[in-house]
Amino acid sequence: MNVTTTDYHTAGEPFRIVTGGLPPVPGDSVAERRSIVIGAGGRATAPRRSALDDVRRLLTREPRGHAGMYGGFLVPADDSEAHFGVLFWHKDGYSTACGHGTMALGAWAVDSGLVAAPEDGTALVRIDVPSGRVSATVHRSGGRTTAVTFRNVPTRVLARKVELTVAGRTVAVDLAHSGAVYASLPAAALGLSVVPDRLPELTAAGREIRAALEGHRALAGDRDGVYGVILYDELPDTPTGPHQRNVTVFADGQIDRSPCGSGTSARLALLADEGALGAGRTLRHDSVIGTVFTGRVRERQGDGVVTEVTGTAHRTGEHRFVLDPEDTLGAGFLL
């Protein structure tokens, strides 16, 4: 096996873009390709083994990756209106949405010359993902990419104040669908705060909440259920709007190092729904490591809102990964 990648990080969260060495990815759309790669009888966080999934395993496991790795397979767009498509993956399987990945892909598309961009100004990169068509507006100054704005599919509030018992406490969570389903609650409701020292407890709480919501009626028709759990701290407002710090626990206990792009969309919709984010106001959304996204609601569309989230993405390396047939560790291991 011989696989090439270009790696980025968006506000600290990795995104590994596979640029070569993939076996064929069958399907007529990005959503169909995701279903095929998960496999008959597989689940989003437990896909069936295949040649394509072996590449995901190789890139997310040690010694070539790690349990916090995230990335994507480049695939054809659904039609000529988008520049390309992507299948998002992590250590457990495949997601339907990824805001930080969309930002990284926008930066990569411009930095690599795939999408033309001015020295000063912006370039629009349109990307088909399993949840629909999203875009990345890449901001440029002096020939360098300085920021990326992710425009998501419409985000819908699914349910408010869903009561659960977590770690022996009764808490209420809010649910929103922003390309994937996110559950939100204040960390203080569990006697916690969003700081690195509390990550083991925050991770355990996120996993428990995700399991407790399995099969909830608000998720009817969504085969993947809850993808991420957002635990947040309320911070003093900035002059332009609310300020929160969060950690998103997604898939099977994976921690988002960034403020989470699609999760920020979910927070924006919930804040707008409760009247805490008026027109023209901006959410400052901090991560557990101190990096920042800013987000805003741009318009209402149907029963949802269209959000935009801005952050930074930087290239960290280019790689050629190989698998020696004599390597007894094979695709690697997770700790």
Side-chain angles (χ1 to χ4, degrees), residues 26 71 88 114 121 181 184 198 211 215 229 259 266 293 301:
F88 295 122
L114 179 68
V181 178
S184 294
R198 307 304 294 270
V229 176
F293 287 163
Q301 191 174 114

Side-chain angles (χ1 to χ4, degrees), residues 211-272:
L213 287 166
E214 188 171 349
H216 190 276
R217 62 182 180 277
L219 308 177
D222 193 304
R223 59 177 290 192
D224 291 340
V226 172
Y227 171 65
V229 176
I230 303 169
L231 299 112
Y232 63 90
D233 290 341
E234 294 280 6
L235 302 175
D237 285 1
T238 72
T240 57
H243 185 191
Q244 296 182 344
R245 178 174 54 239
N246 93 97
V247 64
T248 300
V249 183
F250 65 92
D252 189 18
Q254 198 161 329
I255 293 293
D256 198 324
R257 277 74 171 161
S258 81
C260 188
S262 300
T264 299
S265 287
R267 294 300 307 142
L268 289 166
L270 290 164
L271 287 166

Side-chain angles (χ1 to χ4, degrees), residues 17 31 47-48 52 55 80 82 84 123 152 193-194 258 268-269 278 286-287 298 302 315 320-322 327 335:
I17 303 165
R48 299 289 296 272
L52 189 64
V55 178
S80 60
F84 53 87
N152 200 5
S193 58
V194 180
S258 81
L268 289 166
D286 296 2
S287 75
R298 280 306 188 192
R315 186 171 57 177
R320 182 172 69 90
F321 294 101
V322 298
D327 187 344
L335 290 179

